[in-house]
Amino acid sequence: MHQRWTLLPRLCALLPGLMGLLASGSDFQHHRYEEMVRALYAVHSECPYITRIYSIGRSVEGRHLYVLEFSDNPGIHEELEPEFKYVGNMHGNEVLGRELLIKLSQFLCEEYRAGNQRITRLIHDTRIHILPSMNPDGYEVAAKQGPEFNGYLVGRGNAREIDLNRNFPDLNALMYYYEKTNGRNHHLPLPDNWEHQVEPETLAVIKWMQNYNFILSANLHGGAVVANYPFDKSRDPRIRGRTTYAATPDDKLFRQLARTYSYAHSWMHKGWNCGDFFDEGITNGASWYSLSKGMQDFNYLYTNCFEITLELSCDKFPPAAALPREWLGNREALVSYLEQVHHGIKGMVYDENNNPIGNAEISVSGINHDVTSGVDGDYFRLLLPGTYTVTASAPGYLPYTSTVTVGPAEAIQLHFHLKTAPKQNLKAKHHHGKKNLSSPKANLKLGPR
């Protein structure tokens, strides 16, 4: 007892500084829609030259889905500068991600203004997009109940009570079919009339993905504490009591991305959280439980973006008093994960006259998942350290292959200059580029399970 009392004066002396650290930039609170919008505009007002606010669409009830962008040239894609996104509050009653992303926005602005070299470099070298709430309608339903009375499902879906993480076109079934037929392994075609089969929030996010060449992403959830990586959907039919690991061709990379967040998080990596155990604080989605039409699998199969799902709290709607601890537990992980977008290889794809070639395919020997160059001709391929054989190809051009060694630090630049193919090869090459795009109609028009 005596020891505890002698510590008290020291704790009291530390308290003002600690409280200043926790409260810097804002009081920790839950933000309703109008408060969230004001918070985003306040960040923009504080850092107008490195931020931009834009809307990707509206929810069922007409609320804007606002994104806050950080860049040294907001609104502009710069060649060889990767695009990154964080998405929060996809499930309306899972609110910690929403608050962490608001706080992260304030933190990036404050640290940039303070001259923090790490944050300054990150903002100068990356185009960062933060969507704090993908489901503002669901959030309002959950917030009316508040933390004390929030149920496990109330506010989870959008205003039509549709679960947005079961609402994306099912490209997994198509991918698993193509795996057996040596078909296409990336940018899979969407079903006919897909725009009429998804909710407005899902439609807005898909259009967002079409408009920006995102390279790395995470979406923030609650209800567990674990970093979850693709595939979410099992290749095998679900059997009671059985879970099946569904690896992507980039399984080793996804595991490392998940570990990056888990080990930078204050307690996720310990494994025991919320009564569950996940080794190293990570899990393959399908190994945990199979999920159809999820967002992270859709990112991987439809775009150049690698996305993981972060489950960040046992309590889906933690009280405001818990937010400071959660912020300190996640702050380093949010920044460390963001930095992973700068690993692997990147470069330009040009023709013989140094004109950029958009939509060129970049394939890595031994990894059956290609990426494509953006409209400006730049490409980004996340890879673990190692030596790789990389090929760039485009219809009408001869493919070109290089060998490159990737280190643990910044992405290695590898540029390609493609020569025009002789005329007799054009037809064959064009056919090769389109091979196996068709598939049985049953696979293209998948309904719910």
Side-chain angles (χ1 to χ4, degrees):
M1 179 68 92
H2 177 71
Q3 266 188 319
R4 289 171 62 188
W5 281 110
T6 57
L7 284 172
L8 191 59
R10 268 186 263 174
L11 288 173
C12 290
L14 287 172
L15 198 57
L18 181 61
M19 293 310 293
L21 172 68
L22 296 183
S24 65
S26 74
D27 294 322
F28 282 88
Q29 64 182 57
H30 289 291
H31 292 74
R32 299 289 285 262
Y33 178 73
E34 291 79 8
E35 295 165 336
M36 179 187 74
V37 174
R38 281 197 295 271
L40 296 180
Y41 274 95
V43 173
H44 176 59
S45 176
E46 286 292 311
C47 292
Y49 302 113
I50 58 163
T51 60
R52 175 176 73 110
I53 295 178
Y54 64 97
S55 171
I56 60 171
R58 289 180 182 265
S59 65
V60 170
E61 294 180 344
R63 295 180 176 92
H64 278 288
L65 305 180
Y66 282 117
V67 175
L68 181 62
E69 173 192 334
F70 283 86
S71 169
D72 56 344
N73 286 290
I76 299 169
H77 172 73
E78 299 173 72
E79 288 180 5
L80 299 177
E81 185 171 290
E83 310 257 356
F84 176 97
K85 63 179 163 69
Y86 270 132
V87 178
N89 201 209
M90 184 182 200
H91 290 142
N93 65 334
E94 296 172 13
V95 306
L96 179 59
R98 174 187 179 113
E99 300 308 328
L100 289 177
L101 292 182
I102 293 171
K103 185 61 187 170
L104 176 65
S105 302
Q106 296 165 343
F107 174 77
L108 292 175
C109 173
E110 290 165 4
E111 293 302 306
Y112 186 89
R113 284 167 56 98
N116 181 321
Q117 290 186 353
R118 183 187 185 194
I119 299 304
T120 298
R121 186 179 183 196
L122 200 53
I123 290 172
H124 284 183
D125 295 347
T126 325
R127 196 174 177 203
I128 304 162
H129 305 256
I130 297 174
L131 173 63
S133 181
M134 181 180 165
N135 185 5
D137 297 353
Y139 177 87
E140 293 302 310
V141 172
K144 283 175 186 174
Q145 288 194 323
E148 296 84 3
F149 304 105
N150 189 256
Y152 201 75
L153 295 174
V154 174
R156 176 183 174 89
N158 68 352
R160 296 174 182 151
E161 298 189 4
I162 301 296
D163 185 331
L164 299 179
N165 206 29
R166 310 289 191 280
N167 190 238
F168 284 77
D170 185 354
L171 299 184
N172 291 76
L174 191 55
M175 180 71 214
Y176 299 160
Y177 168 79
Y178 282 159
E179 284 179 339
K180 298 173 183 176
T181 59
N182 197 31
R184 192 176 183 89
N185 66 28
H186 66 100
H187 292 79
L188 303 187
L190 296 176
D192 294 339
N193 301 316
W194 69 270
E195 294 184 18
H196 303 291
Q197 299 169 19
V198 299
E199 292 300 296
E201 297 89 348
T202 311
L203 176 64
V205 167
I206 294 175
K207 295 285 188 183
W208 190 33
M209 294 177 188
Q210 292 172 338
N211 289 330
Y212 296 86
N213 185 22
F214 293 116
I215 306 303
L216 183 62
S217 173
N219 73 87
L220 282 55
H221 288 246
V225 178
V226 65
N228 176 105
Y229 56 91
F231 283 124
D232 263 338
K233 183 175 180 178
S234 174
R235 286 178 173 83
D236 306 314
R238 184 181 294 177
I239 299 170
R240 183 179 294 276
R242 177 183 169 193
T243 55
T244 311
Y245 196 112
T248 68
D250 286 284
D251 186 62
K252 290 180 181 177
L253 174 61
F254 270 119
R255 288 173 62 84
Q256 182 55 34
L257 289 170
R259 276 195 295 260
T260 295
Y261 198 95
S262 177
Y263 278 95
H265 188 282
S266 294
W267 56 87
M268 183 183 286
H269 60 280
K270 295 178 181 178
W272 285 109
N273 293 290
C274 319
D276 295 318
F277 178 76
F278 296 100
D279 190 29
E280 297 189 287
I282 69 173
T283 186
N284 171 259
S287 180
W288 187 12
Y289 62 90
S290 184
L291 182 161
S292 233
K293 301 185 180 181
M295 184 165 70
Q296 73 174 10
D297 288 8
F298 182 85
N299 269 271
Y300 184 69
L301 296 174
Y302 184 63
T303 77
N304 289 320
C305 191
F306 289 57
E307 179 171 283
I308 67 172
T309 301
L310 299 170
E311 301 281 352
L312 297 178
S313 58
C314 304
D315 190 345
K316 291 192 173 196
F317 206 128
L323 297 179
R325 176 179 181 267
E326 293 289 355
W327 164 242
L328 292 178
N330 283 276
R331 182 180 61 190
E332 173 58 28
L334 288 165
V335 176
S336 293
Y337 182 77
L338 211 168
E339 290 172 329
Q340 299 307 301
V341 77
H342 292 287
H343 293 295
I345 59 174
K346 65 180 181 178
M348 301 294 300
V349 184
Y350 297 110
D351 65 15
E352 294 161 295
N353 299 314
N354 284 328
N355 296 311
I357 301 175
N359 209 35
E361 294 185 353
I362 312 298
S363 59
V364 179
S365 180
I367 304 177
N368 189 34
H369 181 79
D370 302 341
V371 299
T372 59
S373 59
V375 292
D376 299 312
D378 55 349
Y379 76 90
F380 306 82
R381 189 25 162 127
L382 300 179
L383 292 167
L384 294 174
T387 299
Y388 299 93
T389 301
V390 185
T391 301
S393 59
Y397 297 90
L398 295 172
Y400 189 87
T401 300
S402 282
T403 300
V404 63
T405 298
V406 175
E410 291 287 303
I412 302 297
Q413 290 201 22
L414 176 65
H415 305 299
F416 292 94
H417 290 79
L418 303 186
K419 294 182 178 179
T420 303
K423 286 188 177 179
Q424 62 266 30
N425 289 341
L426 278 176
K427 187 173 181 182
K429 176 63 186 166
H430 185 69
H431 175 73
H432 171 73
K434 296 289 187 181
K435 73 171 183 174
N436 284 320
L437 270 177
S438 60
S439 67
K441 287 184 179 178
N443 281 307
L444 280 176
K445 295 184 179 178
L446 291 161
R449 300 181 98 185

